[in-house]
């Protein structure tokens, strides 16, 4: 694994002169953030040694090097989901490569279904914590001390200072930014009404099919993390509306300007 990470990092270093210290993983419908990155250099996943290729509709696969405002960034356009059939080492491989390139701060975004009754479709939520319900752990197996410690703490998996900054920005801009706990599950089914209720009872505010593996690995690697979730549908026993992939993408597009404003400012101020 170490060899693969280094090989990939070396390749990217050979293609990119100015290496960013900030990486952003763009989730469903949040791809348009790419339009705000300047001086762009696209590197398709298919050209990157050891990178898997994304399979889901609506997710294109590129690493994008450029600037968001004044800040050099790497953006991942298209992520790897566990439900696509990748194992956890593959899902989190790009985060390992980011660390090897010198990235110290990771921003992640995703779409999720809301269980918190205060949420409405199109809300944006700072992820303050998560509950990992994936059946496979990305750190299971041999631990390489070069990559991180055997038993990493997850107490501050989402950086408190970045959470505070995001609140400050949302306040200034008049954006309703919720806080909550993200429950990470495999999918690809959306939840049954009973499952949404269950995830609420155990302490979740929203549920989604990504993010948790990458955040665990970023913490293992000693990176600071900020996560934002777009509430694209609501779930629970009183909800009669059936969620669809199209509806999720449409809601994400509606919420995208709020996400974009927060992300842009946050990346520049941190
Ligand atoms: N459940 C799981 N993942 C999701 C949902 C949901 O309701 N909405 C968007 N991603």
């Amino acid at each position: 694994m170490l060899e693969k990470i280094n090989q990939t990092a070396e390749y990217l270093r050979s293609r990119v002169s100015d290496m960013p210290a900030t990486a952003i993983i763009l989730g469903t419908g949040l791809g348009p953030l790419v339009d705000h990155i300047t001086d762009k250099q696209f590197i398709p996943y298919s050209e990157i040694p050891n990178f898997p290729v994304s399979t889901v509709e609506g997710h294109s696969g590129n690493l994008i090097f450029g600037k968001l405002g004044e800040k050099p960034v790497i953006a991942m356009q298209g992520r790897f989901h566990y439900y696509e059939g990748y194992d956890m080492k593959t899902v989190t491989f790009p985060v390992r490569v980011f660390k090897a390139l010198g990235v110290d701060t990771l921003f992640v975004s995703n779409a999720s279904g809301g269980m918190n009754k205060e949420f409405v479709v199109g809300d944006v939520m700072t992820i303050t914590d998560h509950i990992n319900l994936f059946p496979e752990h990305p750190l299971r197996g041999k631990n390489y001390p070069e990559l991180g410690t055997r038993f990493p703490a997850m107490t501050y998996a989402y950086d408190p200072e970045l959470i505070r900054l995001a609140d400050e920005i949302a306040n200034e801009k008049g954006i309703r930014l919720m806080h909550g706990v993200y429950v990470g599950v495999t999918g690809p089914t959306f939840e049954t009404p009973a499952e949404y209720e269950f995830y609420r009872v155990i302490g979740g505010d929203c549920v989604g099919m990504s993010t948790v593996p990458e955040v665990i690995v970023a913490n293992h690697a000693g990176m600071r993390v900020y996560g934002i979730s777009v509430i694209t549908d609501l779930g629970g026993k009183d909800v009669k509306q059936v969620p669809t992939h199209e509806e999720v993408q449409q809601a994400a597009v509606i919420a995208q300007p709020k996400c974009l404003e927060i992300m842009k400012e946050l990346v520049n101020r941190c």
Side-chain angles (χ1 to χ4, degrees), residues 111-113 190-191 196 207-209 232-233 248:
S112 67
F190 293 110
E191 288 62 38
Y196 284 115
V207 56
M209 308 174 195
T232 55
D233 53 275
V248 164

Side-chain angles (χ1 to χ4, degrees), residues 99-167:
K99 178 66 184 184
L101 291 174
V103 167
D104 58 19
T105 309
L106 180 70
F107 294 89
V108 291
S109 64
N110 61 44
S112 67
M115 293 87 71
N116 184 327
K117 298 281 186 282
E118 287 179 28
F119 290 1
V120 294
V121 168
D123 265 344
V124 284
M125 185 198 94
T126 288
I127 305 174
T128 56
D129 201 347
H130 72 224
I131 296 174
N132 178 16
L133 294 183
F134 285 93
E136 186 191 338
H137 198 287
L139 304 185
R140 179 170 171 269
K142 181 175 166 53
N143 186 64
Y144 298 93
E146 300 93 316
L147 300 183
T149 176
R150 172 78 282 189
F151 300 108
M154 289 288 139
T155 316
Y156 299 110
Y158 300 86
D159 185 74
E161 176 56 18
L162 292 176
I163 293 173
R164 194 197 60 74
L165 256 179
D167 281 341

Side-chain angles (χ1 to χ4, degrees), residues 1-10 49-50 93 144 147:
M1 176 154 83
L2 294 179
E3 213 170 286
K4 270 185 165 181
I5 294 166
N6 289 333
Q7 192 182 42
T8 307
E10 221 164 275
N50 306 320
F93 182 74
Y144 298 93
L147 300 183

Side-chain angles (χ1 to χ4, degrees), residues 30-42:
L30 304 174
L33 186 87
V34 170
D35 299 339
H36 296 257
I37 299 176
T38 55
D39 305 328
K40 279 192 282 273
Q41 182 182 358
F42 282 78

Side-chain angles (χ1 to χ4, degrees), residues 20-232:
T22 303
I24 309 171
I25 301 177
L26 305 170
T28 308
L30 304 174
L33 186 87
V34 170
D35 299 339
H36 296 257
I37 299 176
T38 55
D39 305 328
K40 279 192 282 273
Q41 182 182 358
F42 282 78
I43 306 184
Y45 294 161
S46 56
E47 290 178 13
I48 304 173
N50 306 320
F51 246 62
V53 174
S54 186
T55 63
V56 191
E57 193 191 325
H59 296 259
S60 25
N62 293 292
L63 277 190
I64 298 160
F65 293 81
K67 279 186 168 174
L68 192 59
E70 293 301 305
K71 224 9 167 314
V73 296
I74 312 175
M76 244 186 110
Q77 189 181 36
R79 60 144 64 92
F80 305 107
H81 298 89
Y82 189 67
Y83 63 72
E84 293 176 82
Y86 303 113
D87 64 24
M88 281 299 188
K89 300 277 188 247
T90 307
V91 168
T92 56
F93 182 74
V95 180
R96 293 293 184 202
V97 172
F98 294 158
K99 178 66 184 184
L101 291 174
V103 167
D104 58 19
T105 309
L106 180 70
F107 294 89
V108 291
S109 64
N110 61 44
S112 67
M115 293 87 71
N116 184 327
K117 298 281 186 282
E118 287 179 28
F119 290 1
V120 294
V121 168
D123 265 344
V124 284
M125 185 198 94
T126 288
I127 305 174
T128 56
D129 201 347
H130 72 224
I131 296 174
N132 178 16
L133 294 183
F134 285 93
E136 186 191 338
H137 198 287
L139 304 185
R140 179 170 171 269
K142 181 175 166 53
N143 186 64
Y144 298 93
E146 300 93 316
L147 300 183
T149 176
R150 172 78 282 189
F151 300 108
M154 289 288 139
T155 316
Y156 299 110
Y158 300 86
D159 185 74
E161 176 56 18
L162 292 176
I163 293 173
R164 194 197 60 74
L165 256 179
D167 281 341
E168 196 175 285
I169 293 161
N171 253 329
E172 285 169 18
K173 295 185 178 291
I175 296 170
R176 175 179 141 106
L177 177 62
M178 313 306 278
H179 276 197
V181 175
Y182 176 94
V183 180
V185 299
T186 62
T189 47
F190 293 110
E191 288 62 38
T192 65
E195 286 167 343
Y196 284 115
E197 293 292 334
F198 171 63
Y199 296 145
R200 181 62 181 153
V201 167
I202 64 170
D205 294 285
C206 68
V207 56
M209 308 174 195
S210 66
T211 303
V212 167
E214 295 104 314
V215 170
I216 288 173
V217 166
N219 274 271
H220 184 238
M223 293 156 90
R224 288 192 304 169
V225 175
Y226 175 79
I228 193 164
S229 192
V230 173
I231 310 298
T232 55

